[in-house]
Amino acid sequence: MAKWWKPIALVLVTFVLAVSLKNDFLYFLLGFELMVYLAAFCQTLWLSKRVKARIVLPETRVLRGESFQIRVELTNASRLPIPQLMVRLAVRAFPEKEALLLKGKLMLDGREQGFLCFQMDGSHCGCLEIRPDQLMITDFLGAFQRRCPMDGEEESLLFILPKAMDLDRELPDVQGIFPDEDGGKQGNDALDVSEIRSYREGDPLKMIHWKLSARWNDLMVKEMADPAESLTWLYLNLRQSPDLPEVRHDPQAWDHFVQTVADTSALLLKMGKRHMVFWVDSLEGTIVRSCVSDEMSQQEMLCELLRTDSVRPGENSPLPEEIYLDETKGICIEIDLQGNLVR
């Protein structure tokens, strides 16, 4: 907080003494004080327009249990030195409401670049919403402060993903869901549908799914599966049970659920089964669908999941039956919030 009241009080005291005593030195001191404070104010105003700040997040997504840095790069475009820069970032873990404030200070010489690093620990799976909260510059006297603009005022997202496959825990029995590998394969019929996607220019009209297009108010097209490819559906049941503690706000329970989803998806990929993961997004009231065919698409699916809240008891939400399409065949695996697998 700027201590602007101190120079004002000092100037008033000097002014009262100079007028009452009619002392020339006090008049000179009063003028000198006014010039110093005016120079400090102008310096703060000048430098505040020549400071640039940028938030830099890790290039890759962070895995649970790893440490990472949030870096703020600062540049002084002026020839004048900056006595003090105060940076404050707000970090909120979705879906929590309270934000953690990260604070740091540094000094920059003229035409100099510097940075602040905030070390954090990704102890739980989730999505961190990071936004610049404040960038303040202070003059040499500490009397005036000025807020500076920061590049990228919108919030940035950082995802903390589960381990690729946690071998220290009991893995889900995905193999047991496919007891007869030869008999369990789907897709032998060339008309099997592997995915429903948005219409693209050049798609044949006969492949448009008219019923779903009318429901979503957008043209949806049926993507044909390879005749030798099996189609597996992975339904994530995010409906919160009224008799159990709320999982989404329990970091350990949520980690267990997300890790189960990641392990199940990884085991399906290891078995050569491309799969469709879907769930209900209670915030948007929509159905989220994500096709997983490799490690990259699996990470994209997990990032979407980490931005989704659970469906609480009594909330109106689409039923999972709306997702099953008449043309779709295959095996559906359900995972509830407790990490239980049901075929």
Side-chain angles (χ1 to χ4, degrees):
M1 181 178 179
K3 303 178 178 61
W4 52 266
W5 60 271
K6 289 187 176 181
I8 293 179
L10 183 59
V11 168
L12 288 177
V13 170
T14 307
F15 174 76
V16 171
L17 291 176
V19 171
S20 60
L21 299 178
K22 297 181 180 181
N23 187 292
D24 293 339
F25 175 76
L26 290 178
Y27 281 116
F28 169 79
L29 184 60
L30 176 63
F32 179 76
E33 289 176 356
L34 291 174
M35 286 190 298
V36 169
Y37 291 134
L38 180 61
F41 176 78
C42 293
Q43 178 204 32
T44 306
L45 184 64
W46 169 269
L47 291 176
S48 64
K49 299 179 180 179
R50 284 153 181 81
V51 176
K52 294 183 179 180
R54 186 169 67 96
I55 300 177
V56 181
L57 299 178
E59 295 182 359
T60 58
R61 299 179 179 94
V62 180
L63 296 181
R64 180 168 60 91
E66 294 182 350
S67 297
F68 62 93
Q69 284 185 345
I70 299 176
R71 182 184 175 104
V72 181
E73 296 181 350
L74 299 159
T75 303
N76 180 12
S78 171
R79 295 184 180 276
L80 298 177
I82 298 178
Q84 180 177 286
L85 269 174
M86 193 274 287
V87 179
R88 192 168 69 185
L89 301 180
V91 179
R92 185 174 75 96
F94 178 85
E96 298 176 2
K97 294 183 178 180
E98 294 185 1
L100 171 66
L101 293 179
L102 304 178
K103 301 178 182 179
K105 298 179 181 179
L106 82 163
M107 176 180 178
L108 287 179
D109 289 331
R111 304 287 187 181
E112 185 184 24
Q113 293 183 341
F115 60 89
L116 286 172
C117 288
F118 301 98
Q119 191 76 19
M120 300 194 69
D121 183 20
S123 55
H124 298 290
C125 297
C127 173
L128 297 182
E129 300 172 346
I130 304 166
R131 63 175 177 83
D133 184 69
Q134 198 176 73
L135 176 63
M136 300 291 294
I137 186 172
T138 307
D139 69 298
F140 283 99
L141 301 176
F144 303 102
Q145 285 186 339
R146 181 79 177 180
R147 187 162 186 164
C148 309
M150 292 186 70
D151 293 342
E153 292 292 339
E154 70 281 356
E155 64 184 16
S156 304
L157 300 180
L158 178 64
F159 296 96
I160 303 176
L161 301 180
K163 299 177 182 178
M165 189 175 289
D166 192 353
L167 300 179
D168 297 333
R169 63 191 292 270
E170 184 179 353
L171 299 180
D173 185 16
V174 177
Q175 188 69 38
I177 299 177
F178 302 89
D180 184 3
E181 188 65 22
D182 294 333
K185 284 187 177 181
Q186 302 294 331
N188 295 325
D189 186 352
L191 295 180
D192 283 344
V193 178
S194 67
E195 182 181 358
I196 302 295
R197 58 172 174 80
S198 299
Y199 177 82
R200 301 171 188 164
E201 185 176 355
D203 288 335
L205 294 179
K206 66 179 182 179
M207 303 310 298
I208 295 179
H209 191 289
W210 297 107
K211 183 178 178 181
L212 196 62
S213 298
R215 182 184 304 171
W216 289 357
N217 198 24
D218 189 18
L219 284 179
M220 307 302 295
V221 178
K222 295 174 283 187
E223 184 78 30
M224 294 300 102
D226 189 278
E229 184 182 9
S230 173
L231 180 63
T232 303
W233 295 79
L234 192 59
Y235 169 55
L236 309 183
N237 187 357
L238 301 183
R239 192 173 296 277
Q240 180 68 47
S241 173
D243 303 326
L244 297 175
E246 191 169 346
V247 172
R248 195 60 179 89
H249 295 274
D250 184 347
Q252 286 77 18
W254 180 249
D255 285 347
H256 176 75
F257 168 71
V258 177
Q259 187 67 59
T260 301
V261 174
D263 291 345
T264 304
S265 178
L267 288 174
L268 288 173
L269 290 177
K270 189 176 181 180
M271 295 168 61
K273 296 184 179 296
R274 188 174 67 132
H275 48 284
M276 184 73 67
V277 186
F278 60 97
W279 63 88
V280 175
D281 187 342
S282 64
L283 296 178
E284 302 292 337
T286 58
I287 298 168
V288 182
R289 296 157 46 90
S290 180
C291 183
V292 178
S293 56
D294 52 25
E295 184 178 352
M296 182 63 67
S297 57
Q298 183 198 43
Q299 289 188 0
E300 295 295 335
M301 177 271 295
L302 291 173
C303 290
E304 286 284 342
L305 177 61
L306 293 175
R307 284 284 293 164
T308 303
D309 202 354
S310 58
V311 182
R312 294 171 179 80
E315 287 185 351
N316 295 325
S317 60
L319 297 176
E321 287 77 8
E322 296 183 16
I323 308 174
Y324 297 111
L325 308 176
D326 298 335
E327 298 87 345
T328 304
K329 301 176 183 179
I331 293 178
C332 181
I333 305 171
E334 177 182 333
I335 303 179
D336 62 17
L337 282 175
Q338 285 67 47
N340 302 317
L341 272 68
V342 182
R343 177 179 176 181

